[in-house]
Amino acid sequence: MPLRAPQAPAPALRSVLTALSSPTAVREARTPALLGAQGPVTPELSLPVHVLDRVTAEGVAATRLAGWRFHLRCGDRTVAAAETRLTPDGWTFSHFFEGPYVASTERALRQAESVPQPCQPRLLSVPELYMLTLWLHGDCAADPASGHPAATDLLVPLAPAPPGIAAHRPHRVAELLPVLTDRVTPTRLLGSPA
C-alpha cells in the first residue's frame, strides 16, 4: 500500500534539527543510542501524534493533535525519536527518546505497506490505557492536524499493548473503539464534557 506520510510543519522540523545540533540537548536526552550514534543523525519519518480525548455518545472518537514525532536515523537504522509539541509560541522541541515504541512503529509501518488501499499514517495515543497505535487514516489528502478516526480506518496497536489487545494486529476503528471504551473509566472518556 502506498503510505502517504504527511509533511510536518517546517517549524516543528526546525526545532528538531536545532536540538540535534545542540550538544547540550543531545547529552541531556540520555538516550544511549543517540549518544553513541556514529555519524550524522537525521530526522526522516514524521508522524502527527493525536490523543484520544473521549468518545462521543454517537461512538465517534474525539481526538486532538498533540505533537509530531520524528524517527532519527543514523546510517541505515533508526536510533531514536524526537517529539515536538505545539505551544502558544508555535512548534517547539519536546524530547528525544528510544524504546519499544520506536521499533514497533517501524514494524507496523512495514506491515501497513501490504494493505491495498492508500492511507495517511498517524499515531493515536490512548493515555488512559498507556497505549499507542499506528492510525492508518483512509483520507490521504486530509489535514494531518485534524480529523477523527473514521469507522473504516485501521488502528494497529504498538508493542507493548495493554493486556488482551494483540500488538501488530490491524483492527478497523469500528471494531477496536468499543473495546477501548469498555476498558477506560466511563467518567473519564465517555462522560467527559465536550
Side-chain angles (χ1 to χ4, degrees), residues 43-116:
E44 292 200 353
L45 174 66
S46 60
L47 296 170
V49 180
H50 292 259
V51 174
L52 178 66
D53 282 329
R54 62 186 171 84
V55 178
T56 67
E58 298 79 29
V60 176
T63 64
R64 64 181 163 78
L65 180 68
W68 280 84
R69 182 168 295 174
F70 297 80
H71 280 213
L72 304 175
R73 293 189 67 83
C74 180
D76 62 349
R77 66 184 192 96
T78 299
V79 294
E83 199 153 305
T84 63
R85 61 186 171 89
L86 188 60
T87 68
D89 295 326
W91 287 101
T92 185
F93 171 75
S94 176
H95 60 282
F96 293 118
F97 65 95
E98 58 186 85
Y101 285 134
V102 177
S104 187
T105 302
E106 289 199 325
R107 177 180 170 190
L109 287 166
R110 283 191 305 275
Q111 284 180 283
E113 291 171 355
S114 66
V115 177

Side-chain angles (χ1 to χ4, degrees), residues 172-183:
R172 296 265 175 226
V173 167
E175 298 166 359
L176 188 58
L177 196 58
V179 173
L180 299 181
T181 56
D182 284 346
R183 289 177 172 228

